């Protein structure tokens, strides 16, 4: 009897310890998050005004604003999306709708995308430098940077669109087939509209990844902080600007402010992404 | 009613799909090809052995006298990854357990949102925060403050959301009936966790751990900013180190010929590490779904 109570007491102690550990960890994670965001906002918000967003970079970033940096960032993003959206959509359609008819190809594509998703960003940088900048002769340019990013973004975008298309109920497909619709019109009139949330979510995730990326751009789009005159011009992305500012003395205030701008952009995009994802999941649950 | 035009459109569509898929999957091959092509001169002229046996990392002295010891960088990559995984794996799991078994609903949602937001913060911001917040604290313990420990802590923060989110997804798949059974037996929460939840979730947790490891191995910006970037094999947590990724980021800008080629060799090594981890993970996932 006494042994069983001592075992009971020990179990109670273990239970309490684990509970403390679990709450402690969760609390620490939240505290660190608040500290990170709080520090960024505290030091960064003061530096942001209209001038900061609309003026050119002066004294290698210590003074002036980030307007050319923002323009370069959006141009890199535009190149990245212009390439990855068509390729990604088509590949995702093959994976979700035609994988049974092309089993070997879909398996190979799936495996290669899994590997691509895991390639470290600095390796993308090496590849982009060797392939786009040198082999294809694009040099350090917004075009090279955007194309390198599109390689990075593709696996995320494709997986998300594929999931979105797979979530379209098969009744829709059967109904379309019963009406004698061709694959092409079924795709355009039924699947793509019905899978739109997945496409939107994939787009947001891809944009988020592209905006956050730094290492892959160091040796592809380069460091030039002036206003880019064309896509063949070098242009510095916002994330790279933050890194660069930590390397110059007196750059910290503007690094903080640029950090707030970057995190704010990403926050909006991530919220949009998780909202659309929940939208899809919600729709699926409702049907069951 | 299929018209001839429609079937022709379908055929064009199908070839379009195939073409795009081949293009998308050829990126990996292109990456491997260019890594190999650029590394080949170094592999041929220097040989793998010298990356270990050379006395030091002196990549840009007079041609012919360069030394290319990669071991310190490899050690830094492995040690920082190991340290981060050792902390982030239990912490990520505990955070997921908190959301599923301990927290009231509102707090669980809040915690989940915070972890999601942490996952979305770019590595350059983690690096910056580490540099302005963490490094000064470590500096008081052991100057200069940019060291292996700073790298481990920042990496921990970065891979924790990955591990926590995947662990959480795994915990969600445990059948409610098993938990109710445990409750009916009057098991305490800890006993339920240890006896029911963890054994069932173990395969999923291992996959989460592998993905976290992968992210830590490949991380560049954060470790570049907080690790101090001194080429040496660390003897303590307070030694500054330079990882393989940081080495590439620091030297690609000016590296030429042989030196550049050696940097591609280190890229190839990173790629090999990642492919190994992905292979393990796929193998594992397959064996799990078979059971």
């Amino acid at each position: 009897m006494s042994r069983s109570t001592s075992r009971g007491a020990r179990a109670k102690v273990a239970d309490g310890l684990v509970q403390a550990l679990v709450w402690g960890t969760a609390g620490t994670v939240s505290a660190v998050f608040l500290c990170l965001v709080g520090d960024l906002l505290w030091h960064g918000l003061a530096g942001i005004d209209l001038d900061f967003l609309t003026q050119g970079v002066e004294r290698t970033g210590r003074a002036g604003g980030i307007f050319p940096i923002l323009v370069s960032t959006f141009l890199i993003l535009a190149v990245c999306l212009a390439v990855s959206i068509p390729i990604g959509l088509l590949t995702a359609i093959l994976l979700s709708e035609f994988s049974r008819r092309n089993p070997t190809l879909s398996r190979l594509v799936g495996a290669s995308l899994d590997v691509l998703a895991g390639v470290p960003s600095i390796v993308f940088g090496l590849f982009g430098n060797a392939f786009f900048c040198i082999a294809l002769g694009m040099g350090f340019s917004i075009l090279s940077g955007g194309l390198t990013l599109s390689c990075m973004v593709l696996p995320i975008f494709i997986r998300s669109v594929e999931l979105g298309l797979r979530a379209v109920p098969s009744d829709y497909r059967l109904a379309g087939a019963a009406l004698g619709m061709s694959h092409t019109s079924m795709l355009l009139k039924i699947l793509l509209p019905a899978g739109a949330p997945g496409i939107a979510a994939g787009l947001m995730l891809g944009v988020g990844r592209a905006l956050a990326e730094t290492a892959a751009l160091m040796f592809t789009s380069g460091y030039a902080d002036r206003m880019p005159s064309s896509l063949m011009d070098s242009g510095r992305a916002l994330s790279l600007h933050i890194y660069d500012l930590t390397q110059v003395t007196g750059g910290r205030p503007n690094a903080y402010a640029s950090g707030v701008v970057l995190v704010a952009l990403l926050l909006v995009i991530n919220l949009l992404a998780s909202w659309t994802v929940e939208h899809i999941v919600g729709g699926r649950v409702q049907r069951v | 009613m299929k018209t001839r035009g429609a079937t022709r459109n379908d055929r064009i569509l199908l070839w379009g799909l195939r073409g795009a898929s081949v293009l998308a999957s050829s990126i990996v091959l292109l990456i491997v090809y260019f890594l190999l092509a650029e590394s080949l001169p170094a592999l041929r002229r220097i040989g793998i052995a010298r990356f270990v046996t050379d006395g030091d990392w002196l990549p840009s002295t007079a041609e012919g006298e360069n030394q290319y010891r990669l071991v310190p960088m490899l050690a830094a990559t492995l040690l920082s990854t190991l340290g981060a995984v050792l902390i982030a794996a239990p912490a990520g799991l505990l955070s997921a357990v908190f959301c599923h078994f301990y927290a009231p609903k509102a707090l669980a949602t809040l915690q989940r949102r915070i972890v999601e937001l942490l996952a979305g913060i770019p590595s350059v911001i983690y690096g910056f925060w580490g540099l302005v917040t963490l490094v000064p604290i470590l500096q008081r313990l052991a100057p200069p403050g940019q060291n292996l420990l700073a790298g481990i802590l920042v990496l921990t923060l970065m891979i924790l959301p990955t591990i926590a989110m995947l662990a959480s997804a795994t915990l969600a798949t445990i059948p409610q009936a098993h938990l109710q059974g445990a409750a009916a037996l009057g098991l305490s929460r800890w006993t339920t966790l240890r006896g029911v939840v963890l054994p069932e979730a173990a395969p999923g947790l291992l996959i989460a751990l592998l993905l976290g490891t992968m992210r830590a191995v490949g991380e560049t910006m954060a470790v570049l900013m907080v690790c101090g970037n001194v080429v040496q094999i660390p003897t303590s947590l307070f030694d500054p180190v330079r990882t393989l990724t940081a080495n590439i980021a620091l030297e690609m800008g000016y590296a030429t010929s042989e030196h550049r080629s050696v940097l591609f060799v280190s890229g190839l090594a990173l790629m090999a590490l990642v492919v190994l981890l992905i292979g393990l993970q796929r193998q594992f996932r397959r064996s799990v779904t078979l059971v």
Side-chain angles (χ1 to χ4, degrees):
Chain A
M1 184 66 194
S2 74
R3 220 166 101 198
S4 90
T5 48
S6 90
R7 190 183 291 166
R10 220 181 315 150
K12 205 167 267 176
V13 170
D15 221 38
L17 270 179
V18 172
Q19 180 158 9
L21 209 59
V22 167
W23 279 86
T25 311
T28 311
V29 171
S30 307
V32 169
F33 173 76
L34 287 179
C35 170
L36 200 160
V37 174
D39 180 65
L40 207 60
L41 289 177
W42 180 258
H43 292 99
L45 269 184
I48 299 178
D49 49 23
L50 199 63
D51 281 352
F52 184 69
L53 297 176
T54 55
Q55 306 256 303
V57 179
E58 280 163 41
R59 295 174 53 224
T60 61
R62 290 183 198 92
I66 54 168
F67 187 59
I69 310 283
L70 286 177
V71 171
S72 300
T73 308
F74 286 118
L75 285 178
I76 293 171
L77 201 60
V79 171
C80 163
L81 293 182
V83 176
S84 33
I85 289 176
I87 298 179
L89 268 183
L90 291 175
T91 308
I93 292 168
L94 181 104
L95 287 176
S96 80
E97 305 301 316
F98 297 93
S99 62
R100 224 176 292 162
R101 221 191 288 175
N102 301 277
T104 323
L105 181 62
S106 344
R107 223 184 31 240
L108 280 178
V109 173
S112 80
L113 288 179
D114 276 2
V115 175
L116 196 61
V119 173
S121 51
I122 190 83
V123 173
F124 276 106
L126 286 176
F127 162 71
N129 182 276
F131 184 48
F132 297 118
C133 297
I134 294 175
L136 297 186
M138 296 175 191
F140 280 68
S141 65
I142 287 172
L143 196 60
S144 303
L147 289 173
T148 308
L149 279 192
S150 74
C151 298
M152 275 187 89
V153 162
L154 263 178
I156 306 166
F157 180 60
I158 291 173
R159 283 300 180 205
S160 177
V161 175
E162 187 194 344
L163 280 178
L165 288 176
R166 280 185 195 278
V168 175
S170 51
D171 310 2
Y172 289 21
R173 294 185 185 84
L174 293 176
L179 287 172
M181 288 175 94
S182 69
H183 288 308
T184 318
S185 48
M186 178 133 66
L187 201 66
L188 291 177
K189 301 222 169 82
I190 300 180
L191 290 172
L192 288 184
I199 299 172
L203 209 58
M204 295 300 147
L205 288 174
V207 169
R209 175 102 199 250
L211 266 183
E213 187 45 45
T214 314
L217 294 175
M218 288 178 132
F219 313 113
T220 53
S221 60
Y223 281 92
D225 59 11
R226 61 176 186 280
M227 194 64 155
S229 56
S230 80
L231 290 184
M232 296 308 287
D233 221 1
S234 167
R236 188 192 287 183
L238 189 55
S239 52
L240 197 54
H241 187 56
I242 297 170
Y243 168 68
D244 205 63
L245 284 178
T246 64
Q247 306 300 108
V248 297
T249 39
R252 279 200 188 163
N254 272 355
Y256 267 119
S258 311
V260 172
V261 173
L262 180 63
V263 170
L265 280 173
L266 283 168
L267 196 68
V268 172
I269 286 161
N270 278 331
L271 287 178
L272 278 176
S274 63
W275 183 83
T276 34
V277 166
E278 261 150 42
H279 197 67
I280 304 170
V281 174
R284 210 193 280 164
V285 170
Q286 250 178 14
R287 266 192 51 80
V288 170
Chain B
M1 248 183 295
K2 266 185 201 175
T3 60
R4 185 171 300 174
T7 46
R8 202 186 55 208
N9 281 349
D10 277 1
R11 213 169 302 144
I12 296 172
L13 171 76
L14 204 56
W15 281 109
L17 298 182
R18 288 192 186 128
S21 309
V22 169
L23 195 62
S25 48
S26 62
I27 296 173
V28 166
L29 297 181
L30 275 175
I31 292 178
V32 172
Y33 170 78
F34 273 94
L35 285 180
L36 276 175
E38 296 266 354
S39 322
L40 219 53
L43 291 173
R44 247 195 229 135
R45 261 187 290 162
I46 303 170
I48 293 179
R50 270 189 55 199
F51 298 135
V52 182
T53 56
D54 269 6
D56 205 349
W57 173 258
L58 299 167
S60 48
T61 52
E63 195 68 39
E65 291 165 32
N66 293 341
Q67 301 196 338
Y68 299 109
R69 185 168 153 83
L70 284 174
V71 175
M73 273 83 99
L74 190 62
T77 291
L78 294 179
L79 286 173
S80 58
T81 302
L82 182 73
V85 170
L86 279 181
I87 309 176
L93 175 60
L94 286 174
S95 163
V97 164
F98 175 77
C99 291
H100 281 269
F101 300 103
Y102 284 85
K105 201 161 179 239
L107 265 187
T109 314
L110 184 69
Q111 175 81 2
R112 224 168 262 150
R113 281 271 177 278
I114 286 179
V115 168
E116 268 175 34
L117 288 172
L118 272 176
I121 290 177
S123 55
V124 73
I125 299 286
Y126 277 112
F128 181 60
W129 180 77
L131 192 66
V132 294
T133 308
L134 213 54
V135 168
I137 296 172
L138 292 175
Q139 196 168 23
R140 250 172 274 157
L141 292 174
Q146 288 175 304
N147 54 32
L148 178 59
L149 183 60
I152 288 177
L153 292 177
V154 171
L155 278 182
T156 301
L157 259 183
M158 298 189 62
I159 66 174
L160 193 139
T162 312
I163 296 182
M165 289 198 295
L166 287 166
S168 187
T170 308
L171 293 183
T173 62
I174 292 173
Q176 206 59 38
H178 297 187
L179 300 176
Q180 283 161 354
L185 286 172
L187 297 182
S188 72
R189 242 187 323 205
W190 166 231
T191 322
T192 312
L193 278 177
R194 202 183 44 184
V196 181
V197 173
L198 290 185
E200 281 196 60
L205 296 178
L206 200 71
I207 288 174
L209 195 125
L210 284 173
L211 284 173
T213 310
M214 218 156 79
R215 181 142 188 226
V217 166
E219 177 46 41
T220 309
M221 298 317 293
V223 290
L224 173 67
M225 291 160 90
V226 302
C227 280
N229 298 325
V230 177
V231 183
Q232 60 175 349
I233 296 180
T235 51
S236 91
L237 282 173
F238 298 107
D239 280 348
V241 292
R242 183 192 287 192
T243 63
L244 279 175
T245 50
N247 189 46
I248 298 173
L250 284 167
E251 299 189 351
M252 253 303 275
Y254 65 91
T256 50
S257 64
E258 217 173 59
H259 181 195
R260 177 180 157 95
S261 185
V262 174
L263 293 181
F264 273 84
V265 170
S266 54
L268 200 61
L270 281 172
M271 184 80 183
L273 263 174
V274 164
V275 168
L276 181 80
L277 287 167
I278 292 171
L280 269 177
Q281 190 231 115
R282 279 179 76 95
Q283 200 60 38
F284 206 76
R285 195 166 277 177
R286 200 168 306 148
S287 68
V288 171
T289 44
L290 277 182
V291 170

